[in-house]
Amino acid sequence: MKNLKNGMVFWRVNSDYGIIVDLEEGKQYLCDNEVLSFLEGKSDSLDNSDIEFLNEHILDDLDQKELFKRMIEEKKKLPFTGIIYIDTGRRCNLRCIGCFNNSGSWYKDEMTPEIAERVADLLGKIGNPQIIITGGEPLILKHWSEVIGSFSEKFNTTIFSNGTLITKNVASKLKELKVAAVKVSLDGASPVVHDKLRGVDGAYEKTIIGIKNLVDVGIYTIIQPTISKINIDQIDELIKLANKLNVNDIRFSPLRGIGRASGSNILLSPQELFEMIKKVEKYRKENKGNLIITNGEAFCEGDQEWRTELYKSDKFSEKEKRYIKFVRSSACDVGIDRFQINYNGDITFCPLITGEKVKIGNINEIRDSNELLELLYNNPISKVLQNPLAEQQACKFCGLKYLCGGGCRGEGFVVTGKVDSCDYPSKDYLTEVVTSVKR
């Protein structure tokens, strides 16, 4: 975020667009890459000619409700290329302080090869989804190679793992199964810190060995530290360790106050989160090596190819296309371009928006691909999630909605039981960011 000193703040959201916030007037404007490049080349203040240029090029009607609704209808006609989470079950060999779904060794239910094959077969008929396999610990499954292989041999597949079970043989098998990437949870640069956060002594050593085995066989390896008050001072050491291990990617995310961390006193304050993000961003900008360093929520990833396809289509005017990658209903397009299938075949929405309350069907009850698409897109919960921000109950009167993009619907659901609730930690963080710029 950059303070332009005219009571305006510039925020680059990604390589395609940014937002200008007029802190004095309380207005927000969308700007495309032409304006982004112009602003990034400016000093700390704007003159009258600069303001005139901005007035000619920025887009000020950010709601675009009707455009977004048309986008959703056109999206439904495209092959599905979004994210499908595969929850293999909640059994796990660790007991992490911050586990979002209270996984543990006592759970027995898990995805079978038969359900996995049924799911993969149907998904292949609706498009080419990106698969993210979660748990629990996916590699603890009795038939883990058959379950994972059902997806990884057909789709781009990422596995979330704690790394402790990745022996040389397991790593070789994952490579044979064509797994695209493995994201390993590593919360500390020392056994003392990591083992405390992961709840089992000796976890650090096994995780490091697992990471080395993945790197040795050439699987794209991502380290995912979850940052809390306990390890916020280890960011520098974690980046050094990631470089030493020769992994491809390190992605920092904050501990969320859900699951086992609900009400925890080790959650970052908005100020600490702001400092964490600034530090990681500084490392990203100064990084000269091959390691990719980013901030990002653990589950909120993936390319939103549907927006690119709509941008290339002839269904929208050139002006409308400037909004396509911006207008949204949530930060991640859940209920539009991402869903979850649980170990027993139940269809829900994401690792956080899951459970009986938001179950929309079961894969064993689906007869064909058309029925699956109808269920995904047109159920009552998806309809709520597909509402544009200007019509979302928690967002429509919020002045920060275009900065957070609706935030994490999952966090709001876990706290309130409603899928259109506010993601208050994100709101508190952005309030701190804007306040710090004003100061």
Side-chain angles (χ1 to χ4, degrees), residues 34-75:
E34 181 180 4
V35 177
L36 295 177
S37 300
F38 171 79
L39 290 173
E40 290 175 337
K42 298 300 295 183
S43 59
D44 285 340
S45 61
L46 302 175
D47 57 29
N48 289 337
S49 62
D50 295 332
I51 299 296
E52 185 177 329
F53 172 84
L54 292 178
N55 286 334
E56 292 176 356
H57 288 82
I58 61 177
L59 303 174
D60 59 0
D61 182 13
L62 296 187
D63 287 349
Q64 292 294 318
K65 293 180 284 189
E66 296 309 313
L67 170 62
F68 189 69
K69 291 173 183 177
R70 282 173 50 215
M71 287 170 56
I72 296 297
E73 292 309 307
E74 291 299 324
K75 194 273 183 198

Short mmCIF file of all heavy atoms in Angstrom, two decimals, residues 34-75:
data_model
loop_
_atom_site.label_atom_id
_atom_site.label_comp_id
_atom_site.label_asym_id
_atom_site.label_seq_id
_atom_site.Cartn_x
_atom_site.Cartn_y
_atom_site.Cartn_z
N GLU A 34 -2.32 -0.07 -16.68
CA GLU A 34 -1.82 1.20 -17.19
C GLU A 34 -1.70 2.22 -16.06
O GLU A 34 -0.69 2.93 -15.94
CB GLU A 34 -2.75 1.74 -18.28
CG GLU A 34 -2.27 3.06 -18.88
CD GLU A 34 -3.21 3.57 -19.96
OE1 GLU A 34 -4.26 2.95 -20.18
OE2 GLU A 34 -2.88 4.61 -20.57
N VAL A 35 -2.72 2.26 -15.22
CA VAL A 35 -2.70 3.19 -14.09
C VAL A 35 -1.71 2.71 -13.03
O VAL A 35 -1.01 3.51 -12.41
CB VAL A 35 -4.11 3.35 -13.49
CG1 VAL A 35 -4.08 4.26 -12.28
CG2 VAL A 35 -5.06 3.91 -14.55
N LEU A 36 -1.63 1.39 -12.82
CA LEU A 36 -0.68 0.85 -11.85
C LEU A 36 0.74 1.30 -12.19
O LEU A 36 1.48 1.77 -11.33
CB LEU A 36 -0.73 -0.68 -11.85
CG LEU A 36 -2.01 -1.37 -11.40
CD1 LEU A 36 -1.86 -2.88 -11.54
CD2 LEU A 36 -2.33 -1.01 -9.98
N SER A 37 1.11 1.13 -13.44
CA SER A 37 2.46 1.49 -13.87
C SER A 37 2.69 2.99 -13.70
O SER A 37 3.78 3.42 -13.30
CB SER A 37 2.68 1.08 -15.33
OG SER A 37 2.51 -0.32 -15.48
N PHE A 38 1.68 3.78 -14.01
CA PHE A 38 1.78 5.23 -13.86
C PHE A 38 2.04 5.59 -12.39
O PHE A 38 2.93 6.38 -12.07
CB PHE A 38 0.50 5.88 -14.36
CG PHE A 38 0.39 7.35 -14.05
CD1 PHE A 38 1.05 8.29 -14.81
CD2 PHE A 38 -0.40 7.77 -12.99
CE1 PHE A 38 0.95 9.64 -14.53
CE2 PHE A 38 -0.52 9.12 -12.70
CZ PHE A 38 0.16 10.06 -13.46
N LEU A 39 1.26 5.01 -11.49
CA LEU A 39 1.38 5.34 -10.07
C LEU A 39 2.71 4.87 -9.50
O LEU A 39 3.32 5.56 -8.68
CB LEU A 39 0.22 4.72 -9.29
CG LEU A 39 -1.15 5.33 -9.52
CD1 LEU A 39 -2.22 4.52 -8.81
CD2 LEU A 39 -1.20 6.78 -9.04
N GLU A 40 3.16 3.71 -9.91
CA GLU A 40 4.41 3.19 -9.36
C GLU A 40 5.61 4.00 -9.80
O GLU A 40 6.66 3.95 -9.17
CB GLU A 40 4.57 1.72 -9.75
CG GLU A 40 3.58 0.82 -9.01
CD GLU A 40 3.61 -0.63 -9.46
OE1 GLU A 40 4.04 -0.90 -10.60
OE2 GLU A 40 3.18 -1.48 -8.67
N GLY A 41 5.44 4.76 -10.87
CA GLY A 41 6.53 5.62 -11.34
C GLY A 41 6.51 7.00 -10.73
O GLY A 41 7.38 7.83 -11.02
N LYS A 42 5.51 7.27 -9.88
CA LYS A 42 5.38 8.61 -9.29
C LYS A 42 6.13 8.71 -7.97
O LYS A 42 6.44 7.73 -7.34
CB LYS A 42 3.90 8.93 -9.04
CG LYS A 42 3.04 8.98 -10.28
CD LYS A 42 3.51 10.03 -11.27
CE LYS A 42 3.38 11.44 -10.70
NZ LYS A 42 3.78 12.48 -11.68
N SER A 43 6.39 9.95 -7.59
CA SER A 43 6.97 10.22 -6.27
C SER A 43 5.84 10.22 -5.24
O SER A 43 4.78 9.65 -5.48
CB SER A 43 7.69 11.57 -6.28
OG SER A 43 6.79 12.60 -6.61
N ASP A 44 6.04 10.90 -4.13
CA ASP A 44 5.07 10.81 -3.04
C ASP A 44 3.85 11.70 -3.20
O ASP A 44 2.98 11.69 -2.35
CB ASP A 44 5.75 11.15 -1.71
CG ASP A 44 6.63 10.01 -1.23
OD1 ASP A 44 6.42 8.89 -1.69
OD2 ASP A 44 7.53 10.27 -0.43
N SER A 45 3.77 12.50 -4.22
CA SER A 45 2.61 13.39 -4.35
C SER A 45 2.13 13.46 -5.79
O SER A 45 2.86 13.14 -6.72
CB SER A 45 2.95 14.80 -3.84
OG SER A 45 4.00 15.35 -4.61
N LEU A 46 0.89 13.87 -5.96
CA LEU A 46 0.28 13.99 -7.28
C LEU A 46 -0.03 15.46 -7.56
O LEU A 46 -0.53 16.18 -6.69
CB LEU A 46 -1.02 13.18 -7.34
CG LEU A 46 -0.91 11.68 -7.04
CD1 LEU A 46 -2.30 11.06 -7.02
CD2 LEU A 46 -0.03 10.98 -8.05
N ASP A 47 0.23 15.89 -8.80
CA ASP A 47 -0.15 17.25 -9.17
C ASP A 47 -1.47 17.22 -9.93
O ASP A 47 -2.08 16.16 -10.11
CB ASP A 47 0.95 17.92 -10.00
CG ASP A 47 1.30 17.15 -11.26
OD1 ASP A 47 0.40 16.44 -11.81
OD2 ASP A 47 2.44 17.23 -11.73
N ASN A 48 -1.94 18.37 -10.37
CA ASN A 48 -3.26 18.45 -11.02
C ASN A 48 -3.34 17.62 -12.29
O ASN A 48 -4.37 17.02 -12.58
CB ASN A 48 -3.60 19.92 -11.32
CG ASN A 48 -3.89 20.70 -10.05
OD1 ASN A 48 -4.26 20.12 -9.04
ND2 ASN A 48 -3.70 22.02 -10.11
N SER A 49 -2.26 17.61 -13.07
CA SER A 49 -2.28 16.81 -14.31
C SER A 49 -2.35 15.32 -14.00
O SER A 49 -2.98 14.55 -14.74
CB SER A 49 -1.03 17.10 -15.16
OG SER A 49 0.15 16.73 -14.47
N ASP A 50 -1.73 14.91 -12.89
CA ASP A 50 -1.81 13.51 -12.48
C ASP A 50 -3.25 13.15 -12.12
O ASP A 50 -3.76 12.09 -12.50
CB ASP A 50 -0.92 13.26 -11.26
CG ASP A 50 0.56 13.44 -11.59
OD1 ASP A 50 0.93 13.22 -12.74
OD2 ASP A 50 1.32 13.78 -10.67
N ILE A 51 -3.90 14.01 -11.35
CA ILE A 51 -5.29 13.77 -10.96
C ILE A 51 -6.19 13.72 -12.19
O ILE A 51 -7.10 12.88 -12.27
CB ILE A 51 -5.78 14.88 -10.00
CG1 ILE A 51 -4.93 14.89 -8.72
CG2 ILE A 51 -7.25 14.69 -9.67
CD1 ILE A 51 -5.04 13.65 -7.88
N GLU A 52 -5.91 14.57 -13.16
CA GLU A 52 -6.70 14.57 -14.40
C GLU A 52 -6.55 13.24 -15.13
O GLU A 52 -7.52 12.68 -15.64
CB GLU A 52 -6.25 15.73 -15.29
CG GLU A 52 -7.09 15.90 -16.54
CD GLU A 52 -6.66 17.12 -17.35
OE1 GLU A 52 -6.19 18.10 -16.74
OE2 GLU A 52 -6.79 17.07 -18.58
N PHE A 53 -5.30 12.74 -15.18
CA PHE A 53 -5.04 11.44 -15.83
C PHE A 53 -5.83 10.34 -15.12
O PHE A 53 -6.46 9.49 -15.76
CB PHE A 53 -3.54 11.14 -15.79
CG PHE A 53 -3.20 9.74 -16.26
CD1 PHE A 53 -3.06 9.45 -17.61
CD2 PHE A 53 -3.02 8.70 -15.34
CE1 PHE A 53 -2.75 8.17 -18.04
CE2 PHE A 53 -2.73 7.43 -15.75
CZ PHE A 53 -2.58 7.16 -17.11
N LEU A 54 -5.79 10.34 -13.80
CA LEU A 54 -6.49 9.30 -13.03
C LEU A 54 -7.99 9.36 -13.28
O LEU A 54 -8.65 8.33 -13.44
CB LEU A 54 -6.20 9.45 -11.54
CG LEU A 54 -4.77 9.15 -11.09
CD1 LEU A 54 -4.62 9.40 -9.60
CD2 LEU A 54 -4.38 7.73 -11.44
N ASN A 55 -8.53 10.57 -13.32
CA ASN A 55 -9.97 10.72 -13.55
C ASN A 55 -10.40 10.16 -14.89
O ASN A 55 -11.53 9.70 -15.07
CB ASN A 55 -10.37 12.19 -13.44
CG ASN A 55 -10.37 12.69 -12.01
OD1 ASN A 55 -10.55 11.90 -11.08
ND2 ASN A 55 -10.16 13.98 -11.82
N GLU A 56 -9.49 10.20 -15.87
CA GLU A 56 -9.80 9.68 -17.20
C GLU A 56 -9.70 8.16 -17.29
O GLU A 56 -10.33 7.54 -18.14
CB GLU A 56 -8.85 10.31 -18.24
CG GLU A 56 -9.07 11.80 -18.46
CD GLU A 56 -8.04 12.39 -19.41
OE1 GLU A 56 -7.12 11.63 -19.83
OE2 GLU A 56 -8.13 13.59 -19.72
N HIS A 57 -8.90 7.57 -16.41
CA HIS A 57 -8.58 6.14 -16.58
C HIS A 57 -9.12 5.21 -15.51
O HIS A 57 -9.24 4.01 -15.75
CB HIS A 57 -7.05 5.96 -16.65
CG HIS A 57 -6.45 6.46 -17.92
ND1 HIS A 57 -6.17 7.80 -18.13
CD2 HIS A 57 -6.11 5.82 -19.06
CE1 HIS A 57 -5.66 7.95 -19.34
NE2 HIS A 57 -5.62 6.77 -19.93
N ILE A 58 -9.42 5.74 -14.32
CA ILE A 58 -9.90 4.83 -13.28
C ILE A 58 -11.37 4.50 -13.47
O ILE A 58 -12.11 5.24 -14.12
CB ILE A 58 -9.66 5.41 -11.87
CG1 ILE A 58 -10.42 6.72 -11.68
CG2 ILE A 58 -8.19 5.58 -11.59
CD1 ILE A 58 -10.29 7.30 -10.28
N LEU A 59 -11.77 3.38 -12.90
CA LEU A 59 -13.16 2.94 -12.95
C LEU A 59 -13.75 3.11 -11.55
O LEU A 59 -13.19 2.61 -10.57
CB LEU A 59 -13.24 1.47 -13.38
CG LEU A 59 -12.59 1.15 -14.73
CD1 LEU A 59 -12.61 -0.35 -14.98
CD2 LEU A 59 -13.29 1.88 -15.86
N ASP A 60 -14.85 3.81 -11.47
CA ASP A 60 -15.36 4.14 -10.14
C ASP A 60 -16.62 3.38 -9.73
O ASP A 60 -17.03 3.45 -8.59
CB ASP A 60 -15.59 5.65 -10.00
CG ASP A 60 -16.59 6.18 -11.02
OD1 ASP A 60 -17.09 5.38 -11.82
OD2 ASP A 60 -16.85 7.40 -11.00
N ASP A 61 -17.24 2.68 -10.64
CA ASP A 61 -18.45 1.93 -10.28
C ASP A 61 -18.04 0.51 -9.93
O ASP A 61 -18.10 -0.40 -10.75
CB ASP A 61 -19.44 1.94 -11.44
CG ASP A 61 -20.73 1.21 -11.10
OD1 ASP A 61 -20.93 0.93 -9.89
OD2 ASP A 61 -21.52 0.93 -12.01
N LEU A 62 -17.59 0.32 -8.69
CA LEU A 62 -17.01 -0.96 -8.32
C LEU A 62 -18.04 -2.06 -8.06
O LEU A 62 -17.68 -3.23 -8.05
CB LEU A 62 -16.13 -0.79 -7.08
CG LEU A 62 -14.90 0.11 -7.26
CD1 LEU A 62 -14.03 0.05 -6.03
CD2 LEU A 62 -14.10 -0.30 -8.48
N ASP A 63 -19.28 -1.69 -7.84
CA ASP A 63 -20.27 -2.72 -7.52
C ASP A 63 -20.48 -3.70 -8.68
O ASP A 63 -20.38 -4.91 -8.50
CB ASP A 63 -21.60 -2.07 -7.14
CG ASP A 63 -21.54 -1.43 -5.77
OD1 ASP A 63 -20.55 -1.68 -5.06
OD2 ASP A 63 -22.45 -0.68 -5.42
N GLN A 64 -20.81 -3.20 -9.85
CA GLN A 64 -20.94 -4.03 -11.05
C GLN A 64 -21.74 -5.31 -10.78
O GLN A 64 -21.35 -6.42 -11.18
CB GLN A 64 -19.56 -4.38 -11.61
CG GLN A 64 -18.81 -3.20 -12.18
CD GLN A 64 -19.47 -2.64 -13.42
OE1 GLN A 64 -19.94 -3.38 -14.29
NE2 GLN A 64 -19.50 -1.32 -13.54
N LYS A 65 -22.87 -5.15 -10.13
CA LYS A 65 -23.65 -6.32 -9.72
C LYS A 65 -24.17 -7.11 -10.92
O LYS A 65 -24.08 -8.34 -10.96
CB LYS A 65 -24.81 -5.87 -8.83
CG LYS A 65 -24.37 -5.32 -7.49
CD LYS A 65 -25.54 -4.88 -6.63
CE LYS A 65 -26.12 -3.57 -7.10
NZ LYS A 65 -27.12 -3.03 -6.15
N GLU A 66 -24.71 -6.41 -11.89
CA GLU A 66 -25.30 -7.11 -13.04
C GLU A 66 -24.22 -7.77 -13.88
O GLU A 66 -24.41 -8.88 -14.41
CB GLU A 66 -26.12 -6.13 -13.88
CG GLU A 66 -27.33 -5.58 -13.13
CD GLU A 66 -28.18 -6.67 -12.50
OE1 GLU A 66 -28.47 -7.67 -13.20
OE2 GLU A 66 -28.53 -6.54 -11.31
N LEU A 67 -23.06 -7.11 -14.01
CA LEU A 67 -21.95 -7.72 -14.74
C LEU A 67 -21.53 -9.02 -14.07
O LEU A 67 -21.33 -10.05 -14.73
CB LEU A 67 -20.77 -6.76 -14.82
CG LEU A 67 -19.45 -7.35 -15.34
CD1 LEU A 67 -19.61 -7.85 -16.77
CD2 LEU A 67 -18.31 -6.35 -15.23
N PHE A 68 -21.40 -8.99 -12.75
CA PHE A 68 -20.95 -10.19 -12.04
C PHE A 68 -21.95 -11.33 -12.21
O PHE A 68 -21.56 -12.49 -12.39
CB PHE A 68 -20.74 -9.88 -10.56
CG PHE A 68 -20.08 -11.00 -9.81
CD1 PHE A 68 -18.76 -11.32 -10.05
CD2 PHE A 68 -20.79 -11.75 -8.87
CE1 PHE A 68 -18.13 -12.35 -9.36
CE2 PHE A 68 -20.17 -12.79 -8.19
CZ PHE A 68 -18.85 -13.08 -8.44
N LYS A 69 -23.22 -11.03 -12.19
CA LYS A 69 -24.23 -12.07 -12.37
C LYS A 69 -24.14 -12.68 -13.77
O LYS A 69 -24.31 -13.89 -13.94
CB LYS A 69 -25.62 -11.50 -12.09
CG LYS A 69 -25.84 -11.14 -10.62
CD LYS A 69 -27.15 -10.42 -10.40
CE LYS A 69 -27.31 -10.01 -8.94
NZ LYS A 69 -28.55 -9.24 -8.69
N ARG A 70 -23.87 -11.83 -14.76
CA ARG A 70 -23.67 -12.37 -16.13
C ARG A 70 -22.42 -13.24 -16.19
O ARG A 70 -22.40 -14.27 -16.87
CB ARG A 70 -23.55 -11.21 -17.12
CG ARG A 70 -24.88 -10.57 -17.49
CD ARG A 70 -24.67 -9.33 -18.34
NE ARG A 70 -23.78 -9.57 -19.46
CZ ARG A 70 -22.91 -8.68 -19.94
NH1 ARG A 70 -22.82 -7.48 -19.39
NH2 ARG A 70 -22.15 -8.97 -20.96
N MET A 71 -21.38 -12.81 -15.49
CA MET A 71 -20.15 -13.59 -15.45
C MET A 71 -20.41 -14.98 -14.88
O MET A 71 -19.90 -15.99 -15.40
CB MET A 71 -19.09 -12.87 -14.61
CG MET A 71 -18.48 -11.65 -15.28
SD MET A 71 -17.45 -10.67 -14.13
CE MET A 71 -16.29 -11.91 -13.54
N ILE A 72 -21.19 -15.05 -13.83
CA ILE A 72 -21.49 -16.35 -13.22
C ILE A 72 -22.22 -17.26 -14.20
O ILE A 72 -21.90 -18.44 -14.34
CB ILE A 72 -22.35 -16.17 -11.94
CG1 ILE A 72 -21.58 -15.40 -10.87
CG2 ILE A 72 -22.80 -17.52 -11.40
CD1 ILE A 72 -20.34 -16.09 -10.38
N GLU A 73 -23.19 -16.71 -14.92
CA GLU A 73 -23.95 -17.52 -15.88
C GLU A 73 -23.05 -18.00 -17.02
O GLU A 73 -23.18 -19.14 -17.47
CB GLU A 73 -25.13 -16.72 -16.41
CG GLU A 73 -26.20 -16.44 -15.36
CD GLU A 73 -26.64 -17.70 -14.62
OE1 GLU A 73 -27.00 -18.69 -15.29
OE2 GLU A 73 -26.59 -17.70 -13.37
N GLU A 74 -22.14 -17.15 -17.48
CA GLU A 74 -21.21 -17.57 -18.54
C GLU A 74 -20.21 -18.59 -18.00
O GLU A 74 -19.81 -19.52 -18.71
CB GLU A 74 -20.48 -16.36 -19.12
CG GLU A 74 -21.36 -15.42 -19.92
CD GLU A 74 -22.01 -16.09 -21.13
OE1 GLU A 74 -21.33 -16.95 -21.76
OE2 GLU A 74 -23.17 -15.79 -21.44
N LYS A 75 -19.81 -18.42 -16.76
CA LYS A 75 -18.87 -19.36 -16.15
C LYS A 75 -19.44 -20.77 -16.12
O LYS A 75 -18.72 -21.76 -16.33
CB LYS A 75 -18.53 -18.88 -14.74
CG LYS A 75 -17.31 -19.55 -14.10
CD LYS A 75 -17.64 -20.84 -13.40
CE LYS A 75 -16.38 -21.39 -12.75
NZ LYS A 75 -16.48 -22.81 -12.41
#
